[in-house]
Amino acid sequence: MRLDVQYAGAEVGTLDWLPDAYGVQVELDCARPTGAPPLLRCYGQTAGAPLLIGLPAPQQGRLRLSRHLSRETLKAAGCAQTAPQRCYLAERPEPTQTPVPARPDRPVQAPAPPLRTGDQILDALLDNGAVHVAPAGDALLLSCTFAPDAPFALAPACVRCTVAGGRATLRWTKQDAAQAAASQQAEEKVT
């Protein structure tokens, strides 16, 4: 595949992109741009990071480069399966443009608030990710991994847990939350 090579928006030469079993062989042949800095590198614009193709050497008044690029190099730049979208000469890679996300037609809804039990200890376990929660009708199902020979996150409520399939599960209702709040207030009055 033959690609055009540009310098400052003008076409200055070509790059042959020849895929093989181990990557790509590239052959660059460009006119030396007038007024250009002494060291120009050849870059490929890809969907990912800019691909440094190489540093062409001046030969007989032209810039030439023959080089092999490995599959790993191509993969890191986001062009493992396809050639770069465009090739150019420059001192440094052009900044990549991040696409501006399209504005939605309707307002974005705020995320739903996290599910809470009302119990300080259980809510702390939910906050640190040790326990997972899912709504189940009028209750919340709290669960965590369980092994009989290891500590588990729902241990503070172990008498109310069921265990099946390597998971400890606690069914938490609003009535449980009210009782937890009442016992908490009683403890605060005692201390």
Side-chain angles (χ1 to χ4, degrees), residues 36-187:
L39 284 178
L40 288 176
R41 292 168 179 81
C42 183
Y43 293 96
Q45 181 178 341
T46 67
L51 170 66
L52 173 61
I53 295 172
L55 180 65
Q59 294 177 358
Q60 301 165 350
R62 297 189 62 80
L63 295 175
R64 292 198 169 100
L65 172 69
S66 179
R67 178 172 183 207
H68 190 269
L69 300 171
S70 70
R71 284 187 299 204
E72 290 78 19
T73 300
L74 298 171
K75 185 177 178 183
C79 62
Q81 304 297 323
T82 61
Q85 300 157 354
R86 157 178 107 82
C87 294
Y88 59 94
L89 296 175
E91 287 185 282
R92 61 188 56 82
E94 294 175 354
T96 55
Q97 296 178 355
T98 55
V100 177
R103 299 184 92 188
D105 293 340
R106 53 193 147 104
V108 178
Q109 294 180 342
L115 297 174
R116 311 302 287 170
T117 64
D119 180 83
Q120 287 180 339
I121 295 172
L122 294 177
D123 287 342
L125 292 170
L126 289 171
D127 290 341
N128 75 18
V131 173
H132 300 283
V133 64
D138 64 340
L140 296 175
L141 290 181
L142 286 78
S143 67
C144 68
T145 56
F146 177 83
D149 58 345
F152 68 107
L154 284 173
C158 65
V159 296
R160 306 223 23 229
C161 290
T162 57
V163 176
R167 305 264 326 147
T169 304
L170 170 64
R171 183 176 175 84
W172 188 261
T173 63
K174 290 181 181 179
Q175 181 181 0
D176 296 328
Q179 290 173 356
S183 66
Q184 218 169 21
Q185 288 176 351
E187 287 177 14

